[in-house]
Amino acid sequence: MSDVKNPIPQHVAIIMDGNGRWAKQRGLPRLAGHKAGTENLRRVIRAAKDIGIKYITFYAFSTENWNRPEAEVKGLMLLLSEFIDNETEALHKEGARLLHIGHLAGLGAALEAKVKRAIERTKNNRDITVLFAFNYGGRDEILHAVKNLIAEGVKPDEVTVEKMSAAMFTAGVPDPELVIRTSGELRTSNFLTWQTVYSEWAFPATLWPDFDGEALRALVEDYTHRERRFGGLGKSSC
Ligand code: IPE
Ligand code: IPE
Ligand code: MG
């Protein structure tokens, strides 16, 4: 294999796609796919920590996912609630800090309070930071940031990339070096629009419930051999 060009990514972001197709292949209801997908989080988080990844973001519910049938939306909310009930302590023991990106207020008072408690419980952990994008949209986040800067009285010529980044839900979190979308779909679906301008992308065909630590390791390994140019001339062009 070619030379190592990049260290292990600090931040990997994952669009967890393919739960519905995974269920369909087995003749199961879509929610069974979402349940299997949720159960998969634990092993992928553990693998990420073992690899040395410091931040991992999971896209779990987009601002457009409200367009799904009400029963599926309710089921997804319940799975988030159960995940927090069942996994927060285990994640805390693993040294994981939980964060949320997106609009928590849209999830209802009980779920909002539950997510906030999990964030509070794990706030001092630093082995790995796990960001859940739930009720998240990239355009929505940019609008939210712009509105906040205007509300703070920031003048047009004072608006900078740094101030915009600091006004995002991801404030303080480095941009993801690697973004993975499972299930073979080739689009971003409104994910981390501001943060991914120079991310490396991977589109494995694997459906999310089947994606495991080995698959993550292989994509991280592949990433370390890629040449990132950021608009300049790479070493191989000189
Ligand atoms: C991803 O799986 C999970 C969410 C979007 C909530 P999908 O539900 O999109 O699965 P497919 O794309 O129908 O297979
Ligand atoms: C993107 O998947 C959102 C999440 C994985 C949470 P979708 O399945 O909703 O995306 P589209 O609609 O196929 O683009
Ligand atoms: Mg999908």
Side-chain angles (χ1 to χ4, degrees), residues 18-88:
N19 293 347
R21 279 161 281 171
W22 185 93
K24 196 171 177 198
Q25 282 175 358
R26 287 161 178 77
L28 297 169
R30 291 181 57 83
L31 271 173
H34 293 315
K35 192 166 178 1
T38 309
E39 282 161 5
N40 193 30
L41 282 166
R42 184 195 284 215
R43 68 174 176 174
V44 174
I45 293 169
R46 187 162 298 147
K49 191 183 144 188
D50 288 349
I51 293 168
I53 292 164
K54 299 307 280 182
Y55 300 84
I56 188 157
T57 299
F58 294 103
Y59 200 13
F61 193 91
S62 72
T63 46
E64 288 72 38
N65 286 146
W66 293 106
N67 295 327
R68 295 192 178 195
E70 198 186 331
E72 181 165 346
V73 170
K74 277 200 176 133
L76 287 164
M77 297 293 153
L78 188 62
L79 280 171
L80 173 65
S81 177
E82 287 175 357
F83 177 83
I84 293 170
D85 287 342
N86 299 335
E87 300 293 338
T88 302

Side-chain angles (χ1 to χ4, degrees), residues 15-17 21 59-62 65 68 181 185 187 189:
I15 303 175
M16 306 185 285
D17 201 9
R21 279 161 281 171
Y59 200 13
F61 193 91
S62 72
N65 286 146
R68 295 192 178 195
R181 182 175 189 147
E185 302 296 343
R187 56 183 172 275
S189 301

Side-chain angles (χ1 to χ4, degrees), residues 196-210:
T196 56
V197 289
Y198 263 107
S199 301
E200 296 293 325
W201 286 76
F203 297 97
T206 320
L207 303 175
W208 170 251
D210 293 328

Side-chain angles (χ1 to χ4, degrees), residues 110-124:
L111 191 48
E112 181 181 348
K114 192 176 278 195
V115 173
K116 283 184 174 158
R117 278 199 300 277
I119 292 169
E120 179 66 23
R121 172 77 176 132
T122 59
K123 69 176 180 192
N124 295 322

